[in-house]
Amino acid sequence: MLDAELYLPKGWAEDRPRLPRRRHPGRRQAPAKWRLAVDQWVRLSEAGVSFDWLVFDEGYGSKVPFLRFLNLVSQRFVAEVPVNFTVRDRVGGPAGGRMVG
């Protein structure tokens, strides 16, 4: 394992009376899982770790801000995306594209 971050589901974070027993640091609102992944990527990159490719499921592949971040930092990836996603080969380009499976 290269890095880890506590992810607390929203329902748990809203259950204030039980938080002390879970040893939660007390964040008001936990960041989304894709945001935690961005933070991990940044920390590892700063530590000199690089990835040839990232592979992830629809849980991350459906998060457009996450995909934009990966494109911005030129990180190659293979992602499962929702069936109704529209693919563009460039910003502002025509919608279309063909999913190859």
Side-chain angles (χ1 to χ4, degrees):
M1 183 180 307
L2 297 174
D3 193 60
E5 181 94 23
L6 175 64
Y7 173 74
L8 193 63
K10 185 177 180 180
W12 288 23
E14 292 172 351
D15 188 0
R16 290 288 179 203
R18 296 176 65 188
L19 280 179
R21 290 193 314 205
R22 292 193 188 116
R23 298 183 183 150
H24 182 261
R27 283 191 196 146
R28 291 201 165 187
Q29 183 174 355
K33 287 174 75 173
W34 71 265
R35 182 60 209 192
L36 294 175
V38 166
D39 293 344
Q40 288 177 324
W41 188 95
V42 169
R43 282 194 303 269
L44 290 167
S45 179
E46 289 173 349
V49 177
S50 64
F51 302 96
D52 291 333
W53 289 86
L54 296 179
V55 179
F56 43 89
D57 65 15
E58 185 177 331
Y60 293 90
S62 65
K63 308 305 183 246
V64 174
F66 181 59
L67 301 177
R68 285 186 179 146
F69 167 78
L70 295 175
N71 280 322
L72 180 68
V73 297
S74 300
Q75 173 63 60
R76 293 180 291 182
F77 63 88
V78 174
E80 179 181 27
V81 296
V83 68
N84 63 346
F85 252 40
T86 300
V87 178
R88 299 174 190 272
D89 62 356
R90 65 185 176 281
V91 175
R98 189 169 71 92
M99 300 299 290
V100 179

